[in-house]
């Protein structure tokens, strides 16, 4: 039963992760990133999601520090950028992200995309080498948990051939517009937590009539309905906002429950905010 923002899911290595994370993609580096992270932590978020590729790790780290909340009360995720795959690169990239964030460990580090253009001809071997570096960093205490992002079953199958640690997390595009059933089923079967990125369809779900009607029915905003739907599926949503009122609004998810019929209606909204990007077609 979900009751508050600081409730946790237990990952496959026993580590507990706060069930809602604060997103920072497209949050401008500098004051905006710093301030929104501070506001999120003040609003009760204990889980912050960033990435080297977002270009804002330093400001996010400053916001975390300035929040005054103890490090061990916070969950911080970052991700390996598409140019830094491979054993040696990954080791350096982990230190680079730690240094940017001003932290001596990360709670979670993810391979951001399985198949970036720089490694397209060798992704299987390169991901195996990357993963070995991440396993070692986990053993060394630099990373509490390790995972992947945008991985489809074939990318996970390939990784698991040589992995000694099963990824704790797969962070994927997951919202009413695309439930990615094959990926979620694979994650579930391997005890990999499905984190929901773009839980609000990067802002595109607000115009959907069915959601507006439901918002009235539950006396909650569309954002709250959709984030609650994500939680009731057992996903871990990562809403992003740079506006304090919305940052707070997106935490008020625990005083209502979406009934089964409405859950099904939302499940059927496929396509309303676009579909997940095929990782094999990204061009960077
Ligand atoms: P979201 O689905 O979280 O939507 C964010 C958008 O919705 C912004 O435009 C925001 O505007 C707006 N918004 C947020 N809350 C409200 C609200 N209550 N009412 C009205 N509008 C609102 O977008 P993202 O695509 O950023 O995904 C969230 C996070 O997931 C990212 O920030 C990142 O951390 C992660 N992610 C990971 C990816 C990966 O490859 N692993 C890819 C994409 C995202 P405003 O900020 O102006 O308030």
């Amino acid at each position: 039963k979900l009751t508050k923002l600081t409730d946790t899911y237990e990952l496959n290595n026993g580590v507990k992760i706060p069930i809602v994370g604060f997103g920072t993609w497209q949050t401008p580096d500098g004051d905006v990133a710093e301030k929104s992270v501070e506001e999120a932590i003040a609003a009760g978020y204990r889980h912050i999601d960033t990435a080297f590729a977002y270009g804002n790790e330093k400001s996010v780290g400053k916001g975390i520090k300035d929040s005054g909340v103890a490090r061990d009360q916070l969950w911080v995720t970052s991700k390996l950028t598409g140019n830094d795959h491979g054993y040696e690169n990954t080791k350096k990239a982990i230190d680079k992200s730690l240094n940017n964030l001003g932290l001596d460990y990360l709670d979670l580090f993810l391979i951001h995309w399985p198949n970036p253009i720089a490694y397209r001809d060798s992704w299987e071997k390169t991901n195996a080498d990357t993963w070995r570096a991440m396993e070692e960093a986990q053993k060394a205490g630099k990373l509490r948990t390790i995972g992947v992002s945008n991985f489809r079953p074939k990318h996970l199958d390939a990784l698991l051939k040589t992995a000694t640690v099963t990824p704790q997390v797969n962070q994927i595009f997951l919202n009413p517009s695309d439930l990615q059933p094959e990926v979620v089923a694979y994650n579930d079967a391997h005890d990999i937590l499905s984190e929901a990125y773009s839980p609000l369809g990067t802002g595109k779900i607000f115009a959907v009539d069915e959601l507006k009607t439901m918002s009235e029915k539950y006396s909650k905003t569309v954002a709250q309905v959709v984030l609650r739907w994500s939680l009731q599926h057992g996903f871990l949503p990562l809403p992003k906002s740079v506006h304090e009122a919305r940052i707070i609004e997106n935490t008020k998810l625990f005083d209502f429950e979406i009934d089964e019929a409405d859950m099904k209606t939302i499940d059927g909204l496929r396509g309303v905010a676009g579909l997940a990007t095929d990782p094999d077609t990204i061009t960077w």
Side-chain angles (χ1 to χ4, degrees), residues 1-9 18-21 43-45 220 224-225 227-228 231-232 235 237 248-258:
K1 193 123 179 85
L2 307 167
T3 59
K4 56 185 184 311
L5 208 58
T6 50
D7 284 346
T8 53
Y9 293 129
I19 58 173
V20 178
Y45 294 82
K220 300 295 287 186
Q224 290 164 339
V225 167
L227 294 171
R228 177 75 204 189
L231 287 172
Q232 285 183 213
F235 306 148
I248 293 169
E249 175 188 325
N250 296 347
T251 68
K252 309 280 182 209
L253 312 175
F254 304 100
D255 56 356
F256 74 118
E257 188 152 350
I258 301 171

Side-chain angles (χ1 to χ4, degrees), residues 13 15 71 75-80 90-91 93-95 97-98 101 103-111 130-147 165 168:
N13 65 344
V15 172
R71 174 68 185 96
W75 182 281
V76 185
T77 298
S78 194
K79 314 185 189 86
L80 181 73
T90 300
K91 287 208 295 191
I94 292 166
D95 288 339
S97 281
L98 286 171
L101 284 155
L103 301 175
D104 51 17
Y105 70 91
L106 284 170
D107 296 281
L108 174 61
F109 194 66
L110 304 172
I111 304 180
T130 296
W131 194 249
R132 192 157 47 85
M134 286 170 62
E135 289 177 340
E136 286 179 17
Q138 184 175 36
K139 273 207 193 85
K142 286 186 184 183
L143 309 175
R144 287 180 73 211
T145 62
I146 53 178
V165 173
Q168 271 90 52

Side-chain angles (χ1 to χ4, degrees), residues 44 132 172 195:
R132 192 157 47 85
I172 56 175
E195 286 193 347

Side-chain angles (χ1 to χ4, degrees), residues 186-216:
Y186 190 104
N187 291 345
D188 289 348
H190 292 80
D191 200 8
I192 298 169
L193 178 73
S194 297
E195 286 193 347
Y197 82 60
S198 304
L200 307 172
T202 319
K204 293 197 201 90
I205 47 110
F206 297 104
V208 178
D209 285 338
E210 290 89 335
L211 294 172
K212 286 191 211 161
T213 308
M214 240 176 256
S215 147
E216 281 161 29

Side-chain angles (χ1 to χ4, degrees), residues 109-130:
F109 194 66
L110 304 172
I111 304 180
H112 205 148
W113 289 85
N115 195 3
I117 204 96
Y119 303 99
R120 184 120 324 156
D121 296 334
S122 63
W123 65 268
E124 198 162 340
K125 159 98 174 66
T126 309
N127 282 346
D129 293 343
T130 296

Side-chain angles (χ1 to χ4, degrees), residues 22-27 49-50 54 79 110 112-113 149-150 171-173 175 196-204 206 221 223-224 238-243 245-247 249-250:
F22 181 65
T24 63
W25 176 46
Q26 293 181 314
T27 299
D49 183 88
T50 187
Y54 301 167
K79 314 185 189 86
L110 304 172
H112 205 148
W113 289 85
S149 177
N150 297 295
Q171 182 180 122
I172 56 175
F173 181 85
N175 61 51
Y197 82 60
S198 304
L200 307 172
T202 319
K204 293 197 201 90
F206 297 104
T221 65
Q224 290 164 339
L238 302 164
K240 169 264 178 188
S241 176
V242 295
H243 295 102
R246 292 173 174 175
I247 291 172
E249 175 188 325
N250 296 347

